[in-house]
């Protein structure tokens, strides 16, 4: 009886080893199949890339960028606008379509505040008092949204304009942006609204966080050309990793 049990266990072991061998062979075949398919896909992509590169070879840098952007966007609900800051050449794809701009809606306040600083119309040591009503202007950023200033101040505290500008740029700070909007940017109205209209080449009736890709690029170009604290702070933000 013991001999029979021993033979049975040996037979079972052989069967398990055979199953394992067959499974490994099947796995190896699948890996070879996947490798062949991947090589085929890679070859097709290389051919496509080579074809695209050949078709772009005769184009200048701006035209190549335009073609790449156009191929990528395709029929997507997306827009792009590009300006070469050296040559002034530009291109756009769906560039005039207006979108909800979220935090890029802070760009007009950044641009206008730096303009006032450059002109000496706002002193770098100027301070403004925080009160909740600064959040009630047209196109205001959401209360309690992005930023750190809300955790640092209480009503009645005064914050200098340079800190507000830095926080708006570096931390995309909603409260800092709203304070600039209220105190420096005519409560997002008046001269500020007219100036922004001239920059983006579109008349604004009531200021709102709604801009096209082209308008956003024009605002960024203005900020770049002005220099100063704004562009310095935008070059190193809390979003950079």
């Amino acid at each position: 009886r013991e001999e029979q049990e021993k033979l049975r266990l040996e037979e079972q072991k052989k069967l398990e080893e055979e199953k394992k061998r067959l499974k490994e062979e099947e796995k190896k075949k699948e890996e070879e199949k996947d490798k062949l398919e991947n090589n085929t896909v890679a070859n097709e992509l290389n051919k496509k890339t080579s074809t695209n590169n050949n078709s772009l070879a005769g184009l200048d840098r701006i035209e190549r960028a335009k073609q790449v952007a156009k191929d990528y966007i395709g029929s997507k609900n997306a827009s792009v606008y590009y300006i070469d800051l050296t040559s002034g050449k530009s291109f756009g794809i769906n560039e005039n379509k207006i979108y909800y701009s979220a935090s890029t809606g802070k760009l007009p306040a950044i641009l206008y505040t730096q303009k006032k600083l450059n002109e000496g119309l706002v002193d770098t040591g100027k301070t403004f008092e925080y009160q909740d009503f600064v959040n009630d202007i047209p196109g205001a950023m959401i209360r309690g949204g992005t930023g750190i200033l809300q955790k640092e101040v209480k009503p009645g505290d005064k914050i200098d304009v340079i800190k507000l500008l830095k926080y708006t740029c570096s931390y995309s700070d909603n409260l800092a942006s709203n304070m600039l909007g209220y105190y420096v940017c005519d409560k997002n109205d008046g001269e500020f609204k007219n100036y922004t209209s001239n920059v983006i080449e579109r008349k604004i009736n009531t200021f709102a966080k709604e801009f096209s890709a082209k308008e956003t690029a024009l605002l960024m170009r203005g900020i770049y050309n002005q220099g100063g604290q704004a562009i310095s702070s935008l070059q190193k933000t809390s979003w950079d990793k």
Side-chain angles (χ1 to χ4, degrees):
R1 191 176 294 177
E2 288 180 2
E3 187 66 25
Q4 289 178 345
E5 181 64 17
K6 184 178 180 181
L7 290 172
R8 188 185 69 79
L9 291 173
E10 288 178 352
E11 187 65 26
Q12 183 177 348
K13 184 178 180 181
K14 288 180 181 178
L15 287 172
E16 288 175 353
E17 288 176 347
E18 181 64 13
K19 286 181 181 179
K20 184 178 179 181
R21 184 185 66 80
L22 292 173
K23 189 174 181 180
E24 288 176 350
E25 287 184 357
E26 186 66 26
K27 182 179 179 182
K28 188 175 181 180
K29 288 179 181 178
E30 287 295 325
E31 288 175 349
E32 290 176 351
K33 182 180 177 182
D34 289 343
K35 186 176 180 180
L36 179 62
E37 289 177 351
N38 288 337
N39 287 338
T40 301
V41 171
N43 288 335
E44 289 299 318
L45 286 173
N46 286 335
K47 288 178 183 177
K48 185 175 180 180
T49 301
S50 177
T51 300
N52 287 341
N53 287 340
N54 289 336
S55 65
L56 295 174
L59 302 177
D60 66 19
R61 184 165 58 91
I62 307 300
E63 285 300 318
R64 287 202 304 273
K66 180 179 181 180
Q67 191 58 52
V68 170
K70 186 176 180 180
D71 291 343
Y72 175 78
I73 289 175
S75 60
K76 297 182 182 74
N77 181 24
S79 303
V80 64
Y81 191 75
Y82 170 88
I83 306 174
D84 187 303
L85 295 174
T86 302
S87 68
K89 290 183 179 180
S90 64
F91 73 82
I93 300 170
N94 303 327
E95 69 271 24
N96 293 315
K97 183 173 182 179
I98 304 293
Y99 293 90
Y100 172 72
S101 300
S103 281
T104 56
K106 297 179 173 83
L107 294 177
I110 293 171
L111 175 64
Y112 191 75
T113 299
Q114 187 64 62
K115 173 179 180 290
K116 290 295 186 181
L117 287 167
N118 289 353
E119 294 172 347
L121 297 176
V122 173
D123 187 79
T124 55
K126 180 69 175 176
T127 61
F128 302 107
E129 182 178 320
Y130 165 60
Q131 294 293 345
D132 186 66
F133 54 68
V134 302
N135 298 301
D136 293 328
I137 55 179
M141 297 293 152
I142 299 171
R143 279 183 178 85
T146 307
I148 61 175
L149 185 63
Q150 59 187 310
K151 299 175 183 178
E152 298 179 356
V153 298
K154 61 184 182 299
D157 286 351
K158 293 188 175 182
I159 307 98
D160 67 78
V161 66
I162 294 298
K163 182 174 182 177
L164 292 175
L165 182 58
K166 179 181 179 181
Y167 274 34
T168 302
C169 296
S170 297
Y171 302 109
S172 191
D173 197 293
N174 282 11
L175 178 54
S177 176
N178 287 346
M179 288 188 69
L180 292 179
Y182 188 90
Y183 288 110
V184 181
C185 302
D186 310 312
K187 301 177 184 177
N188 283 351
D189 204 345
E191 182 188 339
F192 161 77
K193 187 176 69 175
N194 294 333
Y195 175 75
T196 303
S197 295
N198 289 333
V199 172
I200 67 174
E201 302 171 358
R202 171 173 64 90
K203 181 176 175 56
I204 298 173
N205 293 316
T206 301
F207 184 79
K209 300 187 291 289
E210 296 177 347
F211 298 97
S212 68
K214 180 178 180 180
E215 291 168 350
T216 302
L218 293 173
L219 290 164
M220 278 302 305
R221 181 177 66 179
I223 292 169
Y224 176 83
N225 288 337
Q226 283 188 150
Q229 177 69 48
I231 193 64
S232 177
S233 295
L234 285 170
Q235 288 173 337
K236 187 176 182 180
T237 76
S238 61
W239 307 102
D240 297 326
K241 300 296 183 182

